[in-house]
Amino acid sequence: MTASTALLLADLLGVAVFAASGASAAVAKRLDLFGVTFVGFVAALGGGILRDLVIGETPPLAFADWRYAATAAVSSAAVFWLHPQFNRLRTTVLVLDAAGLALFTVTGTIVALAAGVPAVGACLVGMLAGIGGGLGRDLLTGEIPAVLRREIYAVAALVGAVAVVLLDRTGLAGPGPLVTAAVVIFAVRLVALRRRWSAPVASDRSGPSR
Amino acid sequence: MTASTALLLADLLGVAVFAASGASAAVAKRLDLFGVTFVGFVAALGGGILRDLVIGETPPLAFADWRYAATAAVSSAAVFWLHPQFNRLRTTVLVLDAAGLALFTVTGTIVALAAGVPAVGACLVGMLAGIGGGLGRDLLTGEIPAVLRREIYAVAALVGAVAVVLLDRTGLAGPGPLVTAAVVIFAVRLVALRRRWSAPVASDRSGPSR
Amino acid sequence: MTASTALLLADLLGVAVFAASGASAAVAKRLDLFGVTFVGFVAALGGGILRDLVIGETPPLAFADWRYAATAAVSSAAVFWLHPQFNRLRTTVLVLDAAGLALFTVTGTIVALAAGVPAVGACLVGMLAGIGGGLGRDLLTGEIPAVLRREIYAVAALVGAVAVVLLDRTGLAGPGPLVTAAVVIFAVRLVALRRRWSAPVASDRSGPSR
């Protein structure tokens, strides 16, 4: 297996996991088969589509390579039919989701740098590639995006994206260091889940909110 | 009347109908004249804007040809002032909406193929061109998109887009077959409305949702 | 200070103000520090990102020039920590927000015209540049966009964008007239706030909505 095949497989695994998370949220909202598949598609491919639109890569990879859409569709449909079993895999899903976040953030940052986006912008693009799908999933299902209010999620992505840019700027962005960056995102996210870490919330204010 | 004039007129009819559906939803939410027009604009032109951004056609047609925006604005404003009468036209609107869905899906798929998007991607772009406006309308008015949970709507679009791609790949994509594909989408949608067909919903689960 | 430095400073002031408005809404929703910063970022830069995607300018300025993201982040974080004091500055914020609206609308329209977007499209792009950030802020925080239902806001932007296009078409688009257009948007918005002007709402209908 070559490096690029390995990367494609890893990428498609990320797509499958994110599609499953989106489909799972859509099943909970009682959407029909199409709705479940569509939300799964957005959750899996939304981050990458956002990334490609921002760097001017059209059509985005999700439309240019059929294997992405096919993976998202199969994964979403599987959740639709198997969701009771899927719910029992909750911990597995959270772990795989953390892996997907790590992968998409690192590849998103690399793609942005390769497209000539400056350092700060590349960090933002990488983070959006990681969290964009979850944002789309929550907007479609009528929720305030979970990524905006729960635990260390986007922060893990942002830290990883910064690490990738620093590696790139110091000429160290070989496969080893990049995998390390992905592992760091993955680990931070898992530890945050385990310990229920959250970013701080503004101190309470008197009276009802708003 | 030339073929291209006929196509433009059909396209603008689709814009007018979708704008009316968006404006109608916005009136129900008690938005002001501007809000109604804006939601109408998004409902009418959102699908095409999405299509053009994905294929890298900038500025999107909705911004490049003033007749699109003007049609959407006039149609939305008409609903704003005439909405009680408009509500009585509910069946007419559903029929016209099905026609708009058929038209935008077929033209969206053709445009994507012409821009070099591969087969599966072109189907997705065509479907998004058909349903994108309705998605935008529902997101702006704070609803979970109806297209994700009601009846055969996006599925009709998807089937039509696949048909267009197959016609194109077999060299049969002349005016006749394409019109046939549009008629198929239109008919599937109408029959689904008439018989209240829906895509399946996942079997009920014990306990409260989520 | 050169004209382009002055313009950059004004632009960054607009970013800071819009970020503060987004962060303020996010604090009210009890989002964490990251969520507050993210909503502030979207409120400040969303309009410009939309503008740049529509005209095909990739990566959008918000990703290409780090000072934009840095300004938005600092401003959002400041609101997060200082929000009780910030709330007391409510009037100041509304005034600054009107200034940001005026500025982003005028620059958005000019940028669209310079990119070759026709007159009507340029007005729409200018208006979207002005109101896009507020739309994104409200979608992320689960609100029907305020711009769609409150007071003369987008209408002020649209009027200003039309004025800029007319000035451009008549060859009068020098610094003086453009500043005048911005002042007009600013003034219309402030008077609308002061007098609680609104665009009309459709007359009441019998029975419950929908």
Side-chain angles (χ1 to χ4, degrees):
Chain A
M1 190 164 70
T2 66
S4 95
T5 309
L7 191 61
L8 177 68
L9 285 178
D11 221 9
L12 292 181
L13 179 64
V15 167
V17 171
F18 276 8
S21 89
S24 189
V27 165
K29 292 279 177 178
R30 319 261 332 121
L31 300 188
D32 66 23
L33 174 57
F34 174 81
V36 168
T37 308
F38 191 83
V39 175
F41 184 89
V42 168
L45 304 174
I49 292 172
L50 211 55
R51 173 198 74 195
D52 289 348
L53 289 180
V54 164
I55 66 173
E57 176 74 28
T58 55
L61 191 57
F63 296 96
D65 184 335
W66 65 271
R67 291 172 293 197
Y68 285 79
T71 303
V74 168
S75 177
S76 301
V79 168
F80 182 80
W81 280 299
L82 306 175
H83 64 98
Q85 291 88 321
F86 184 78
N87 279 343
R88 259 178 272 136
L89 297 173
R90 191 166 165 72
T91 307
T92 312
V93 172
L94 283 173
V95 171
L96 287 174
D97 181 81
L101 177 72
L103 185 78
F104 285 0
T105 301
V106 170
T107 57
T109 312
I110 295 169
V111 167
L113 286 170
V117 179
V120 171
C123 290
L124 295 173
V125 172
M127 185 189 69
L128 283 179
I131 71 172
L135 281 176
R137 175 197 65 205
D138 292 344
L139 290 179
L140 284 177
T141 53
E143 301 285 342
I144 292 185
V147 64
L148 297 185
R149 54 165 147 195
R150 276 211 321 242
E151 302 144 352
I152 302 292
Y153 190 92
V155 173
L158 191 54
V159 167
V162 170
V164 171
V165 168
L166 291 178
L167 290 171
D168 181 77
R169 285 294 182 265
T170 53
L172 295 171
L178 291 176
V179 168
T180 307
V183 169
V184 166
I185 300 174
F186 181 64
V188 168
R189 174 68 189 135
L190 285 191
V191 173
L193 268 176
R194 180 90 185 157
R195 308 212 167 178
R196 301 185 174 277
W197 278 349
S198 285
V201 172
S203 55
D204 207 7
R205 294 158 311 135
S206 56
S209 70
R210 265 274 154 113
Chain B
M1 191 164 71
T2 67
S4 96
T5 309
L7 191 62
L8 176 67
L9 286 178
D11 220 10
L12 293 181
L13 179 65
V15 167
V17 171
F18 276 9
S21 88
S24 190
V27 165
K29 292 279 179 178
R30 319 259 335 121
L31 300 188
D32 65 24
L33 174 57
F34 175 79
V36 168
T37 307
F38 191 82
V39 175
F41 184 89
V42 168
L45 305 174
I49 293 172
L50 211 55
R51 175 197 72 194
D52 289 348
L53 290 180
V54 164
I55 66 173
E57 176 73 27
T58 54
L61 191 57
F63 297 96
D65 184 335
W66 65 271
R67 290 172 294 196
Y68 285 79
T71 303
V74 168
S75 177
S76 301
V79 168
F80 182 80
W81 279 300
L82 307 174
H83 64 97
Q85 291 90 321
F86 184 77
N87 278 344
R88 261 178 269 137
L89 297 173
R90 192 167 166 72
T91 306
T92 312
V93 172
L94 283 172
V95 172
L96 288 173
D97 181 81
L101 177 72
L103 185 79
F104 284 0
T105 301
V106 171
T107 57
T109 311
I110 295 170
V111 167
L113 287 170
V117 179
V120 171
C123 290
L124 296 172
V125 172
M127 185 188 69
L128 283 178
I131 71 172
L135 281 175
R137 174 198 65 205
D138 292 345
L139 290 179
L140 284 177
T141 53
E143 301 284 340
I144 293 185
V147 65
L148 297 185
R149 54 165 147 192
R150 275 212 320 244
E151 305 142 348
I152 302 292
Y153 190 92
V155 173
L158 192 54
V159 168
V162 170
V164 171
V165 168
L166 291 178
L167 290 171
D168 181 77
R169 285 293 183 264
T170 52
L172 296 171
L178 291 176
V179 168
T180 307
V183 169
V184 167
I185 301 175
F186 181 64
V188 169
R189 174 68 190 137
L190 284 191
V191 174
L193 268 176
R194 180 90 185 157
R195 309 212 167 178
R196 300 186 173 278
W197 278 350
S198 284
V201 172
S203 54
D204 208 7
R205 294 158 311 134
S206 55
S209 68
R210 266 268 150 121
Chain C
M1 191 164 70
T2 68
S4 96
T5 309
L7 192 62
L8 176 68
L9 285 179
D11 221 10
L12 293 181
L13 178 65
V15 167
V17 171
F18 275 9
S21 88
S24 189
V27 165
K29 292 278 178 178
R30 319 255 341 117
L31 300 187
D32 66 21
L33 174 57
F34 174 80
V36 168
T37 307
F38 191 83
V39 175
F41 184 89
V42 168
L45 304 175
I49 292 172
L50 211 56
R51 175 198 72 195
D52 289 348
L53 290 180
V54 164
I55 66 173
E57 176 74 26
T58 54
L61 191 57
F63 297 95
D65 184 335
W66 64 272
R67 290 172 293 196
Y68 285 79
T71 302
V74 168
S75 176
S76 301
V79 168
F80 182 80
W81 279 300
L82 306 174
H83 65 98
Q85 291 90 320
F86 184 78
N87 279 344
R88 260 178 271 138
L89 297 174
R90 190 166 167 72
T91 306
T92 312
V93 171
L94 283 173
V95 171
L96 287 174
D97 180 81
L101 177 72
L103 186 78
F104 284 181
T105 301
V106 170
T107 58
T109 311
I110 295 170
V111 167
L113 288 170
V117 179
V120 171
C123 290
L124 296 172
V125 172
M127 185 188 70
L128 283 178
I131 72 172
L135 280 176
R137 175 198 64 206
D138 291 345
L139 290 179
L140 284 177
T141 54
E143 301 284 342
I144 293 185
V147 66
L148 297 185
R149 55 165 148 192
R150 275 210 322 241
E151 304 142 352
I152 302 292
Y153 191 92
V155 173
L158 191 55
V159 168
V162 171
V164 170
V165 168
L166 291 178
L167 289 171
D168 181 77
R169 285 295 183 263
T170 52
L172 295 171
L178 291 176
V179 168
T180 307
V183 169
V184 167
I185 301 175
F186 181 64
V188 169
R189 174 68 189 137
L190 285 192
V191 174
L193 268 176
R194 181 89 185 159
R195 307 210 168 179
R196 301 186 173 279
W197 278 350
S198 284
V201 171
S203 55
D204 208 6
R205 294 159 310 134
S206 55
S209 68
R210 268 267 153 119

